[in-house]
């Protein structure tokens, strides 16, 4: 029998001595203490931190959507530039051309 496999006692239940040493050490380890909250934050700073946390969580949950939107904008703006120029919107078209001048040839 594998030494990691606990043997059952006569009653059918594993006892403390049947557990592997690694498991016993983990169970006996002290539990981590909860981190005390920092009440020194102002209400505005706390609201800012919570907003950043929520934003990071939203991106973490919907990262594929964020990557697709960024890729779509990167692929769609080159089509938007000439169309804006043909409609007479020279400033937005020139901004798009300037942005792509940095990333394209």
């Amino acid at each position: 029998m594998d030494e990691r496999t606990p043997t059952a006692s006569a009653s059918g239940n594993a006892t403390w001595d049947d557990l592997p040493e690694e498991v016993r050490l983990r169970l006996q380890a002290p539990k981590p203490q909860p981190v005390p909250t920092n009440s020194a934050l102002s209400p505005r700073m706390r609201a800012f931190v919570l907003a950043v946390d929520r934003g990071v969580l939203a991106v973490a949950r919907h990262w594929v959507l964020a990557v697709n939107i960024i890729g779509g904008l990167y692929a769609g703006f080159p089509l938007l530039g000439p169309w804006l120029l043909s409609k007479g919107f020279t400033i937005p078209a020139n901004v798009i051309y300037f942005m792509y001048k940095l990333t394209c040839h």
Side-chain angles (χ1 to χ4, degrees):
M1 183 178 273
D2 186 12
E3 75 178 47
R4 294 183 309 171
T5 306
T7 58
S9 65
S11 65
N13 295 328
T15 63
W16 180 259
D17 295 328
D18 295 333
L19 293 174
E21 182 69 25
E22 177 186 339
V23 174
R24 278 188 264 153
L25 290 175
R26 255 192 261 156
L27 290 172
Q28 290 174 340
K31 302 286 185 212
Q33 297 297 322
V35 177
T37 58
N38 188 357
S39 60
L41 290 177
S42 68
R44 277 183 76 185
M45 182 57 79
R46 184 176 186 280
F48 174 74
V49 169
L50 288 175
V52 169
D53 284 346
R54 287 185 186 118
V56 168
L57 181 62
V59 170
R61 285 185 177 167
H62 305 291
W63 67 271
V64 173
L65 177 64
V67 168
N68 285 334
I69 287 173
I70 291 169
L73 291 174
Y74 186 76
F77 272 141
L79 302 173
L80 186 63
W83 181 79
L84 287 172
L85 200 58
S86 71
K87 298 297 181 189
F89 298 109
T90 57
I91 293 175
N94 287 333
V95 168
I96 291 173
Y97 289 144
F98 177 75
M99 289 188 318
Y100 277 91
K101 191 184 297 185
L102 298 174
T103 59
C104 299
H105 50 60

